[in-house]
Amino acid sequence: ANGGSGIYSYSWNTIPPQSTSGLTNIGSGTYIVTVSSAGSCSTTASYTVTQPSTLSSTLPVVTAATCGNNNGSIGVTVSGGTVPYQYTWSNGGTAATITNIPSGNYSLNVKDANGCNFTVANIVVADNNNPVTVSLGNDTSICKGETLTLSPGLYTSYRWQDNSTNSVFKVSGSGKYWVKVTDGTGCSGTDTINVIVDCSGLYFPAAFTPNNDNWNNYFGPLGNLGSVRNYSFRVYDRYGQMIFYSTDPYKKWDGTLKGGGYNTGAFAWFATYNIVGQQPRTQKGTVLLLR
């Protein structure tokens, strides 16, 4: 202000009124000041003070960790206040998004350029435990000189019993083989297979004694049953009636028909099957049932 005696008085419309030439520590709003001086007319002026919108954030976007790995993440989008923002996570992170974190409970404090701040607490990163189901197939047999390729499927990484890391493993000898696979989420699974190198055929005993003495109680094939494929086995009574049938070489006849026991006698049998790597075979004969 100028004019008058050069001594000015001020009156602001604050509650209570203030009489200084300037205002401090005030909130947003419109302020009017009246300035007067001896020997002159008074004058007024108005000033509008604004403030930023409230500092806030969106709901955290959380990606769970998987199978105990440090592959979770949390991200927020902050708005309001005055940029730049300062981020302080409970794990020491200083960005709006933290990654490669384990499961657990996290919190975030955000401060803007004016010193305003807010806190987001109890952000939970879960641990999704999804074990991988992997299969190398059933225990099996191969012939000498043959190779069996074990292929568990498509995964991110592999570790075999010899610590090799290829996606497949070639077997040429008898033994137990296993693989541990890991998928893209960091979850893993294992499987084991027993392989026998043996192409010997089957043989059928000439007699059996189904008398519950835990010795020779069943009639069926003996030998390397794991090498058998396309198996079919039938037993007939003396009238030509089929009394037993199986496609499983491990399932044998117990000497009964629908729960009733047979007396001593001779029974015909007929079997067809393949040995791995060989032509189909047919065998037939008779077996003596002894009580």
Side-chain angles (χ1 to χ4, degrees):
N2 54 45
S5 64
I7 299 174
Y8 304 104
S9 62
Y10 303 87
S11 178
W12 294 89
N13 65 335
T14 56
I15 300 175
Q18 297 186 36
S19 57
T20 58
S21 60
L23 297 178
T24 59
N25 299 320
I26 57 175
S28 60
T30 299
Y31 297 87
I32 299 174
V33 62
T34 299
V35 183
S36 60
S37 176
S40 66
C41 298
S42 62
T43 185
T44 61
S46 66
Y47 302 90
T48 300
V49 177
T50 61
Q51 69 177 18
S53 59
T54 303
L55 191 62
S56 64
S57 74
T58 60
L59 290 175
V61 177
V62 180
T63 300
T66 55
C67 297
N69 295 288
N70 296 347
N71 56 2
S73 67
I74 311 173
V76 296
T77 299
V78 176
S79 60
T82 303
V83 294
Y85 304 125
Q86 178 181 324
Y87 303 88
T88 305
W89 290 90
S90 55
N91 73 331
T94 57
T97 298
I98 52 175
T99 59
N100 300 321
I101 57 175
S103 61
N105 194 300
Y106 297 82
S107 62
L108 167 67
N109 180 266
V110 179
K111 181 183 292 186
D112 73 357
N114 292 327
C116 300
N117 67 80
F118 73 94
T119 298
V120 183
N122 300 319
I123 307 172
V124 177
V125 175
D127 183 4
N128 288 343
N129 191 2
N130 301 310
V132 176
T133 301
V134 58
S135 176
L136 294 175
N138 297 324
D139 293 348
T140 189
S141 298
I142 59 176
C143 294
K144 185 175 182 179
E146 289 186 327
T147 299
L148 173 66
T149 299
L150 302 179
S151 179
L154 184 61
Y155 298 96
T156 301
S157 66
Y158 308 80
R159 183 166 66 87
W160 297 89
Q161 72 290 325
D162 63 350
N163 288 322
S164 60
T165 57
N166 294 326
S167 60
V168 298
F169 190 88
K170 294 186 181 299
V171 174
S172 58
S174 297
K176 178 182 290 187
Y177 300 86
W178 60 263
V179 67
K180 179 179 181 180
V181 300
T182 303
D183 66 11
T185 68
C187 295
S188 61
T190 62
D191 192 36
T192 300
I193 185 173
N194 291 295
V195 180
I196 298 174
V197 178
D198 185 358
C199 279
S200 59
L202 303 183
Y203 67 92
F204 294 79
F208 74 120
T209 56
N211 54 11
N212 296 319
D213 63 354
N214 294 323
W215 180 257
N216 201 26
N217 287 322
Y218 298 91
F219 173 63
L222 301 175
N224 182 20
L225 303 185
S227 67
V228 174
R229 301 290 184 271
N230 303 318
Y231 174 80
S232 174
F233 176 58
R234 296 172 173 82
V235 178
Y236 301 88
D237 65 13
R238 62 178 177 173
Y239 302 108
Q241 179 182 359
M242 186 174 69
I243 56 176
F244 180 78
Y245 172 72
S246 175
T247 58
D248 181 354
Y250 293 94
K251 183 179 180 182
K252 301 180 181 183
W253 182 41
D254 63 0
T256 65
L257 174 63
K258 296 182 180 179
Y262 279 96
N263 293 323
T264 299
F267 298 84
W269 58 269
F270 183 83
T272 58
Y273 58 91
N274 291 82
I275 298 294
V276 174
Q278 299 183 12
Q279 294 297 315
R281 297 187 182 185
T282 298
Q283 288 183 252
K284 59 183 178 179
T286 58
V287 61
L288 184 61
L289 187 155
L290 301 174
R291 293 291 183 184

